[in-house]
Amino acid sequence: MGIPVGKLSLYTALGGVRPSACLPITLDVGTNNEELLNDEFYIGLRQRRVTGQEYADFLHEFMAAVKQNYGEKVLIQFEDFANHNAFDLLARYGTTHLVFNDDIQGTASVVLAGLVAALKLVGGTLAEHTYLFLGAGEAGTGIAELIALEMSRQTKTPIDECRKKIWLVDSKGLIVSTRKESLQHFKKPWAHEHEHVGNLLDAVNAIKPTVLIGTSGKGQTFTQEVVEAISSFNEMPIILALSNPTSQAECTAEQAYTWSKGRAVFATGSPFDPVEYNGKTHVPGQANNAYIFPGFGLGVVMSGAIRVHDDMLLAASEALAQQVTQENFDKGLIYPPFSNIRKISAHIAANVAARAYELGLASRRPRPKDLVKYAESCMYSPIYRNYR
């Protein structure tokens, strides 16, 4: 229960969503953990995990009940679902319910914002860069898909063409077309024509990416050879080591700046201290989902949106990228300071709501004239009036 309670606390603290409008829920379908099954003090459902049709029926009953009780405009956020379930649920309910998966969509939106901001330092458009991911689960494929969507929107090119600029490496090596038969369905769009490449270093040398993104959950996988390789053919390589916690980060800030000779544009999923290299202080940005989901949730709620559309995720990314100032860029930051999070959330909410109105998905009428001001007026503050 700590997960949904904590997540909703952030919706309130960072995005100003009223606590009385939040309901934390855990769906318990059992456990396969022998220790818990045999623990007399275990308070969860003491049975093996339900899968297949029974699982699908249970989820369907839950989704129908939520809509029946709370109506069309209740936002259901999926959190910490296993890969295969997460993608299936998003595909199944995305067209009938107001659903959002932070692990897939929130992560993708915050990373895209960092990339859009990083281009102001590095130059070029999204489509002019080549992307290589280490990790092809929910986060990796979710980020890749949103980058391809934004690329497609900017260049008016079919999304299939845009996907060809993005390569993914999983535990078996580079995802290529010869592996298509054995791939999980969410990896298949990323299987491009290329010979088999067995590891990350060889993939970096073969693909020659300008952007390296880690979502593998495995620490120290961006080795010195990998960082030096990408730095050898890029003046300013963009390196995002996104895995949490700090011990699982693909490389540390100090390693990234040292091995790239201070040239990398670097951000992480975990907090790292500033690094001094050759007399210059580099401040690593943190690609934290908490930049996006609270403001996104507020934007959805205040506009009375009835569905989440991918364009609303792109709108959230744009709004976050616009909050990065020249002063931030001068320090090498590609995210704004977290101390401004309420202001950032208001801008994200306004942009998300604006896109919902444009798409005809917003039900709150009339549309407020100034959406940023309206977002700020909707934000809950834990301040009590003094009646004395």
Side-chain angles (χ1 to χ4, degrees):
M1 276 308 286
I3 301 282
V5 170
K7 206 83 187 185
L8 290 175
S9 302
L10 292 175
Y11 271 105
T12 301
L14 313 183
V17 178
R18 282 182 303 117
S20 58
C22 299
L23 180 64
I25 293 174
T26 292
L27 299 177
D28 188 354
V29 295
T31 178
N32 293 338
N33 183 318
E34 292 295 340
E35 206 175 312
L36 294 178
L37 286 169
N38 296 320
D39 183 351
E40 61 181 306
F41 297 113
Y42 180 55
I43 59 170
L45 200 57
R46 203 188 294 263
Q47 63 173 51
R48 297 216 161 267
R49 275 186 71 90
V50 166
T51 56
Q53 193 56 46
E54 196 181 346
Y55 178 89
D57 290 346
F58 171 61
L59 258 295
H60 194 72
E61 187 180 347
F62 168 74
M63 296 298 283
V66 169
K67 201 164 165 178
Q68 200 174 339
N69 278 296
Y70 299 108
E72 197 75 54
K73 293 179 284 186
V74 60
L75 175 61
I76 301 165
Q77 190 202 302
F78 296 126
E79 182 76 20
D80 284 350
F81 280 73
N83 275 350
H84 56 288
N85 290 331
F87 285 103
D88 287 349
L89 290 169
L90 208 49
R92 187 175 310 146
Y93 294 108
T95 53
T96 57
H97 291 65
L98 182 64
V99 292
F100 171 66
N101 183 311
D102 189 47
D103 303 307
I104 299 172
Q105 296 166 303
T107 305
S109 190
V110 79
V111 174
L112 177 61
L115 288 173
V116 169
L119 296 184
K120 291 180 183 157
L121 287 168
V122 176
T125 63
L126 278 175
E128 287 164 0
H129 286 268
T130 305
Y131 306 82
L132 182 64
F133 284 76
L134 177 65
E138 280 174 70
T141 54
I143 298 163
E145 187 65 14
L146 205 63
I147 294 170
L149 262 172
E150 180 65 0
M151 220 187 274
S152 174
R153 198 176 70 86
Q154 287 179 4
T155 60
K156 309 284 186 286
T157 311
I159 193 159
D160 287 348
E161 283 303 305
C162 297
R163 287 190 184 117
K164 289 176 183 168
K165 302 282 294 177
I166 303 169
W167 299 81
L168 280 69
V169 171
D170 64 7
S171 57
K172 295 182 174 65
L174 191 65
I175 294 178
V176 291
S177 48
T178 50
R179 291 179 52 197
K180 212 161 192 175
E181 293 308 306
S182 61
L183 290 173
Q184 290 161 287
H185 67 91
F186 55 87
K187 293 183 183 180
K188 286 184 177 174
W190 312 102
H192 310 316
E193 290 294 330
H194 198 284
E195 64 197 29
H196 173 72
V197 178
N199 60 58
L200 180 64
L201 180 57
D202 290 346
V204 167
N205 286 320
I207 304 300
K208 298 211 168 355
T210 50
V211 181
L212 181 63
I213 300 174
T215 60
S216 62
K218 291 190 172 61
Q220 295 301 304
T221 37
F222 289 176
T223 60
Q224 184 168 351
E225 292 81 8
V226 167
V227 175
E228 285 175 352
I230 192 171
S231 305
S232 68
F233 42 78
N234 288 297
E235 184 54 39
M236 290 176 79
I238 299 173
I239 300 174
L240 308 179
L242 302 177
S243 294
N244 286 317
T246 310
S247 59
Q248 299 305 317
E250 283 78 7
C251 67
T252 65
E254 190 174 355
Q255 289 168 337
Y257 292 124
T258 305
W259 295 338
S260 68
K261 298 190 167 44
R263 292 187 282 122
V265 176
F266 182 68
T268 59
S270 304
F272 280 96
D273 292 329
V275 174
E276 196 169 311
Y277 182 84
N278 268 1
K280 187 182 174 190
T281 301
H282 299 268
V283 186
Q286 191 187 348
N288 192 323
N289 289 24
Y291 274 118
I292 290 282
F293 73 80
F296 185 85
L298 179 64
V300 166
V301 170
M302 77 182 206
S303 62
I306 55 167
R307 296 290 176 271
V308 168
H309 191 283
D310 286 333
D311 280 5
M312 290 154 72
L313 298 168
L314 299 179
S317 297
E318 286 161 17
L320 178 55
Q322 283 161 9
Q323 297 300 306
V324 188
T325 63
Q326 191 54 51
E327 190 187 341
N328 303 147
F329 284 129
D330 292 343
K331 293 178 185 166
L333 278 169
I334 54 174
Y335 291 100
F338 217 86
S339 51
N340 300 342
I341 189 62
R342 295 277 284 205
K343 173 178 168 263
I344 294 164
S345 291
H347 281 272
I348 289 172
N351 225 30
V352 168
R355 200 62 58 91
Y357 279 106
E358 286 161 24
L359 292 164
L361 294 171
S363 65
R364 179 151 294 142
R365 303 286 171 182
R367 172 181 170 156
K369 281 192 172 61
D370 187 331
L371 283 167
V372 176
K373 275 209 174 91
Y374 181 62
E376 287 167 347
S377 74
C378 289
M379 287 174 120
Y380 170 88
S381 287
I383 296 166
Y384 297 90
R385 288 179 186 166
N386 191 343
Y387 289 102
R388 303 192 81 178

